[in-house]
Amino acid sequence: MSLKAFHRFFISVAILFCGWLSISEYQTYTRAGQKDSLWLAIAVAAVNFALVIYLIWFLRKSKK
């Protein structure tokens, strides 16, 4: 496996993990009403969005 392929795989796994964590924390907020869970869900969703943008950028750059 090349370094580029591993990087794509690693970022994809990080996107899936961040998506799962964000959804899980939001569900915790809706059940328990803890504001900390809501803030964590928002922060992780922002990181997830940044990772998606980074993956798109990386894929475009690696094609050149």
Side-chain angles (χ1 to χ4, degrees):
M1 180 181 274
S2 71
L3 187 59
K4 287 182 183 180
F6 177 74
H7 192 69
R8 286 189 298 249
F9 172 74
F10 188 75
I11 296 300
S12 299
V13 169
I15 289 170
L16 291 174
F17 177 72
C18 284
W20 170 79
L21 183 60
S22 181
I23 291 169
S24 175
E25 287 298 322
Y26 182 74
Q27 288 175 347
T28 301
Y29 167 71
T30 57
R31 277 189 241 124
Q34 297 174 342
K35 291 193 179 197
D36 292 343
S37 294
L38 177 63
W39 288 114
L40 184 58
I42 292 170
V44 174
V47 169
N48 196 16
F49 180 74
L51 283 171
V52 169
I53 297 300
Y54 174 72
L55 182 63
I56 292 170
W57 174 81
F58 182 77
L59 291 174
R60 287 182 182 169
K61 184 179 177 188
S62 64
K63 285 184 180 180
K64 293 181 182 178

